[in-house]
Amino acid sequence: MINSNNSSRIKQLGFSLLEVLITLSVLSVGLLGLAGLQTVGLSNNHSAYQRSQATQIAYDISDRMRANIDAISSYTAASPLQNANCLTITGCNPVAMARNDLFEWNAALAAALPGASGAITVAGGNYSVAISWDDDRDGNNTNFQVG
């Protein structure tokens, strides 16, 4: 004899196909979100690295200007020119050193930052070093200034 209470209760074993599909959909949306976060994190990390490079290069030219105080005005007026004689202790006057420093500074900018340009200005005896580059490569330059 079959008990009617036992026959109406059939135990379900395993998952249905619909439950698996919903689980995979939720999991895939979560993984896409994580991939987006990773991309934004990498972009911000690269931007911070470039700002660090700009800071280092700005302080480099500032230190060069302080070391060559006799030709400090040449850093705003002179055009960059490489001078191999300035790599030794003798054979280079202060103005030639300033021009060589500007040449090396421009080379460091070009090597470290995409589309970089730099300018040194003076106002009221205060010198300012400005660097701009295309941080996110969208055509708009990011400006960085050290006084």
Side-chain angles (χ1 to χ4, degrees), residues 7-118:
S7 64
S8 65
R9 290 187 202 161
I10 299 174
K11 292 185 178 183
Q12 181 181 356
L13 299 175
F15 291 103
S16 71
L17 190 56
L18 184 59
E19 290 171 333
V20 171
L21 183 62
I22 292 171
T23 302
L24 285 176
S25 298
V26 169
L27 183 64
S28 63
V29 168
L31 289 176
L32 284 173
L34 284 174
L37 284 173
Q38 182 72 17
T39 302
V40 169
L42 286 172
S43 174
N44 288 337
N45 190 26
H46 186 67
S47 179
Y49 171 74
Q50 287 181 335
R51 286 186 182 275
S52 173
Q53 291 291 75
T55 302
Q56 179 63 35
I57 293 169
Y59 280 119
D60 176 57
I61 195 65
S62 298
D63 288 341
R64 289 173 185 248
M65 291 168 64
R66 279 192 284 277
N68 191 9
I69 200 75
D70 292 336
I72 191 83
S73 61
S74 298
Y75 286 92
T76 59
S79 59
L81 180 66
Q82 186 176 19
N83 188 343
N85 291 334
C86 291
L87 300 177
T88 62
I89 295 174
T90 59
C92 186
N93 63 33
V95 173
M97 178 62 78
R99 294 179 77 184
N100 188 64
D101 288 345
L102 289 171
F103 176 84
E104 290 179 358
W105 183 57
N106 286 330
L109 281 173
L113 301 168
S117 63

